[in-house]
Amino acid sequence: METKLIFFDIDGTLLDEETFCVPTSTQQAIAKAQANGHLCFINTGRPISTIDKVITDIPFDGYICGCGTYIEYQGKPIFHVEIPAEKQKLVIEKSYECHIDTVLEGRNGVYFPHKTFHPFVGGVEQRYIEQKFPVFKYNQHDIVPFDKYASWYDEHSDVDTFKEALQNDFDFIQRDIDFLEIIPLGYSKATGIQMIADYLNIPVENAISIGDSTNDLPMLEFTKESVAMGNSNPLLFDVVTFITTDIRDNGIENALKHFQII
């Protein structure tokens, strides 16, 4: 059997977003896939600095993080791109000017505004602190290193001005009605897959991607075979080649069985 490259999103795909646990059936399915000679990778929007221990405890072959802005294979970084300082400064300034709660995500940590207003952002910050992730604060005139960012807003925010100021350098993914995930132009979960395939000299046609959210669309549309979790955003269902069951109903195991990986 040819070696397959299998790319897993984290939140809602591997990690239950309510219990923050990885189902036992998922852990066992990944172990079986690797035992059968296939390579399993994380492909997430999160930076490498905020990967839960329940994920890192699984011996993945590599990580694509920050929507393709950071890549490592077998514990060795093989690619990293950081937003230039002048663009970092602009992001922070516009976030404050436009009343946007922006979380700055980087290889060495995650930066939250000194004062947040969106309740979800406060909850994320608290969970990151509990997980002992490297969490820092920033103010309006600070310059901090980051690779991508996520922004939340409310009825008092000027989202249009915020987007207009940054649209020439960044791609905006609408994750929810009040939530944007923002990545440097030219990078995505799909570009990360291509880099891994090239690095390992394995045809990209051998790749399978598995996800549940709109930031997974680039990789789901890119790979020959793709899987949407049963609990996915319905926008994914017309894009993928297979819809598996819910994360809590052996979704990963059933997907890998479908493709005869296990």
Side-chain angles (χ1 to χ4, degrees):
M1 181 185 293
E2 287 186 316
T3 298
K4 298 293 185 183
L5 305 175
I6 312 167
F7 297 89
F8 301 86
D9 172 55
I10 294 179
D11 299 293
T13 301
L14 294 176
L15 191 71
D16 188 311
E17 293 185 281
E18 292 184 17
T19 66
F20 300 110
C21 294
V22 178
T24 300
S25 66
T26 296
Q27 298 178 49
Q28 293 173 342
I30 292 168
K32 288 178 183 176
Q34 291 173 315
N36 288 340
H38 305 293
L39 301 177
C40 295
F41 297 85
I42 290 293
N43 197 347
T44 181
R46 296 196 201 186
I48 192 69
S49 56
T50 63
I51 308 295
D52 298 76
K53 188 175 184 297
V54 293
I55 298 296
T56 59
D57 282 346
I58 300 171
F60 284 99
D61 295 285
Y63 288 80
I64 299 171
C65 295
C67 290
T69 57
Y70 174 85
I71 303 173
E72 66 177 48
Y73 177 65
Q74 293 185 344
K76 174 188 174 184
I78 61 172
F79 179 80
H80 178 227
V81 62
E82 187 176 283
I83 296 169
E86 66 273 15
K87 301 302 180 185
Q88 294 172 343
K89 181 180 179 182
L90 182 63
V91 168
I92 293 171
E93 289 179 349
K94 290 301 176 182
S95 295
Y96 274 88
E97 289 174 13
C98 299
H99 188 68
I100 308 283
D101 250 355
T102 295
V103 179
L104 312 172
E105 303 170 306
R107 176 178 179 177
N108 298 315
V110 178
Y111 299 78
F112 288 81
H114 186 69
K115 290 183 179 180
T116 62
F117 65 84
H118 196 289
F120 186 81
V121 177
V124 171
E125 183 177 10
Q126 186 58 42
R127 192 175 89 78
Y128 281 10
I129 291 171
E130 291 171 358
Q131 290 292 317
K132 296 182 170 53
F133 294 152
V135 173
F136 307 98
K137 293 281 195 179
Y138 73 90
N139 287 301
Q140 183 171 3
H141 301 295
D142 291 340
I143 298 178
V144 298
F146 61 98
D147 309 333
K148 63 177 284 283
Y149 52 108
S151 297
W152 286 260
Y153 50 93
D154 63 14
E155 67 274 14
H156 304 295
S157 304
D158 187 353
V159 180
D160 291 340
T161 297
F162 180 71
K163 286 184 174 181
E164 185 178 353
L166 300 165
Q167 64 184 355
N168 291 334
D169 298 289
F170 298 99
D171 183 29
F172 295 82
I173 302 172
Q174 192 76 46
R175 293 290 303 274
D176 207 338
I177 192 170
D178 58 354
F179 169 30
L180 295 167
E181 184 168 22
I182 307 166
I183 303 121
L185 287 177
Y187 299 94
S188 69
K189 291 188 175 187
T191 63
I193 290 175
Q194 185 67 67
M195 287 184 189
I196 286 287
D198 291 344
Y199 183 81
L200 297 175
N201 197 28
I202 293 175
V204 75
E205 290 77 15
N206 288 17
I208 301 172
S209 58
I210 308 176
D212 74 298
S213 187
T214 51
N215 77 340
D216 296 315
L217 283 169
M219 73 170 179
L220 297 173
E221 294 172 332
F222 180 68
T223 56
K224 182 180 178 181
E225 303 289 0
S226 56
V227 179
M229 302 297 291
N231 48 278
S232 294
N233 184 318
L235 291 173
L236 274 58
F237 294 153
D238 291 335
V239 171
V240 298
T241 59
F242 181 68
I243 301 171
T244 190
T245 49
D246 190 280
I247 186 173
R248 297 183 180 180
D249 187 22
N250 306 321
I252 294 297
E253 179 184 32
N254 290 333
L256 297 187
K257 283 181 177 178
H258 172 79
F259 290 108
Q260 299 180 327
I261 299 297
I262 60 175

